[in-house]
Each structure stands twice: as C-alpha cells, then as structure tokens.
Amino acid sequence: MAVMSPRKAAAQRDGQSLHDLLVETAQKMIATHGTAGMTVREIARMAGVADGVLYNHFSDKEELVARALLEHVRTTEAELGDLPVAGEGTLEGNLRRHLEFGLALHAVIVPAFSGLLGQPKVLERFAEISERSGYWRDRLLTYLREERALGRLRPESEVDATAAMLVGYCHASVMAAVFPHTGPLDPPTPDAVVRAALDGIAP
C-alpha cells in the first residue's frame, strides 16, 4: 500500500519545510505589520495551513515569534550591506558608516520589538535562541578593537564605551521617532556623535 505524503501548504516552496515556512510567514508579517496583535490563527492563515500545525513544529506561539524576530534581524542586517574593514578608509568615514548602518537597523527592529512590551515570554525566548556573535553591535566592537590593535586608535581607547555610545545614540534616535515624547527636543547630529567618539579614541 502506497504511503501518502503530507499535503503541501499553498505558500510552501519546493524543498521548504513547514517549520521554515511558518518562520518565514511570521517574519514577513513582522516586517509589514509589526508584532502587536499577531495571532496563531493569522500566521496559519497567511501560511495556508491549519491552526494546529504550528504546534507540530514549535513548543508554543512565543517560540515561533522569537524565531521570526531573529530572522527579521538577520535579514535586515544582510540587506544593509557591508561594513568597513579595519585599517581601510578613514576613521571618521568608517564610524559614520557604522552609525548609518545602526540607525537603519534600529529603524526596522525597534518598532518590531516595541510591540512586545506586554509579551515578556517572547523576549525571553528570543534571548534564549539568539546568538550574539554577528550582530551589528558585536561587529562594531570588533572593528574598534581591530583598529586599536592596528595603532589607528590610542592604546588606552575605551572601545567598549565608544560602541555603547554609538549603539545608545541609534536606539535613542529611533525611540524618539517611534515615541516622540521620549527623546530630546534637539538631538545631536550623526556627524556630531562621530566627532565626539573620535575625540575619545583617535590619536
């Protein structure tokens, strides 16, 4: 007797697992509508599967949303292009590129995460499954450490503090755009932030 293969979902590509289809569907929903109000039924409908299929591949909705968020961050970073290589170009130009990258990244991911303020379990799951290496902040810190090792920054440069300042500026700038009442009325420009960073680390 022939074994029946599982029925393929309407949105499923050849060779794509249902697990990956559900993550991709949720990631696309996050990219277009954010995370607020996302339901299992809506994800299943967009993927073209029954509601219960989700629980065959994920322990719960929170795991699926967390994995979709991780994919959202990775996809966004990949779309933003390359970052400077230590030892090449100018310090000012390289830091400006990092800042532009960070601002664009935060503009995409902060609204997605802001919709989860009332869903701490999703954020906990995200922290559990995400691997920090490779994220922009880590790449920025690696770049600064490499520039210091090459002698293009002062040996005593506090590169961790510099990275935290640049990341914090990106976060605050985007938060002020998403929640206008939370930011300064006259924030510094990216050029001013780059100059301030260089004042602390450049020879």
Side-chain angles (χ1 to χ4, degrees):
M1 178 174 155
V3 178
M4 298 283 292
S5 60
R7 187 169 64 86
K8 180 180 174 183
Q12 194 173 1
R13 299 190 304 274
D14 289 340
Q16 183 182 38
S17 68
L18 280 174
H19 175 282
D20 291 347
L21 170 65
L22 290 166
V23 171
E24 179 183 272
T25 301
Q27 187 268 324
K28 288 179 178 177
M29 292 171 65
I30 291 171
T32 55
H33 305 297
T35 51
M38 181 182 288
T39 65
V40 168
R41 177 170 295 180
E42 187 180 17
I43 296 170
R45 181 179 62 80
M46 292 293 292
V49 300
D51 295 1
V53 169
L54 183 151
Y55 299 103
N56 294 333
H57 301 276
F58 304 93
S59 57
D60 48 34
K61 172 195 168 185
E62 287 76 18
E63 182 190 352
L64 170 56
V65 175
R67 292 194 179 280
L69 275 171
L70 181 58
E71 187 62 26
H72 188 50
V73 173
R74 288 173 173 168
T75 299
T76 299
E77 289 199 331
E79 291 174 347
L80 289 175
D82 296 330
L83 285 167
V85 175
E88 298 180 3
T90 66
L91 291 173
E92 183 175 359
N94 291 350
L95 283 185
R96 178 58 193 259
R97 169 61 185 142
H98 266 285
L99 203 56
E100 290 172 347
F101 187 103
L103 286 168
L105 175 65
H106 279 70
V108 172
I109 65 174
V110 166
F113 279 86
S114 66
L116 296 170
L117 295 179
Q119 302 182 59
K121 287 186 178 180
V122 175
L123 298 177
E124 290 172 7
R125 287 298 182 86
F126 180 84
E128 290 171 2
I129 66 174
S130 64
E131 298 176 359
R132 287 296 309 169
S133 59
Y135 286 3
W136 169 63
R137 183 191 180 283
D138 304 293
R139 294 161 73 187
L140 169 62
L141 189 54
T142 296
Y143 163 76
L144 291 170
R145 287 172 176 167
E146 289 175 349
E147 291 284 26
R148 184 174 60 185
L150 290 170
R152 299 222 301 173
L153 300 180
R154 294 200 301 269
E156 71 277 12
S157 296
E158 297 284 355
V159 293
D160 293 70
T162 302
M165 181 181 75
L166 296 177
V167 173
Y169 172 76
C170 293
H171 185 77
S173 297
V174 173
M175 286 294 288
V178 176
F179 305 106
H181 62 284
T182 63
L185 296 177
D186 188 20
T189 65
D191 285 337
V193 174
V194 168
R195 288 195 297 270
L198 289 174
D199 283 345
I201 59 177

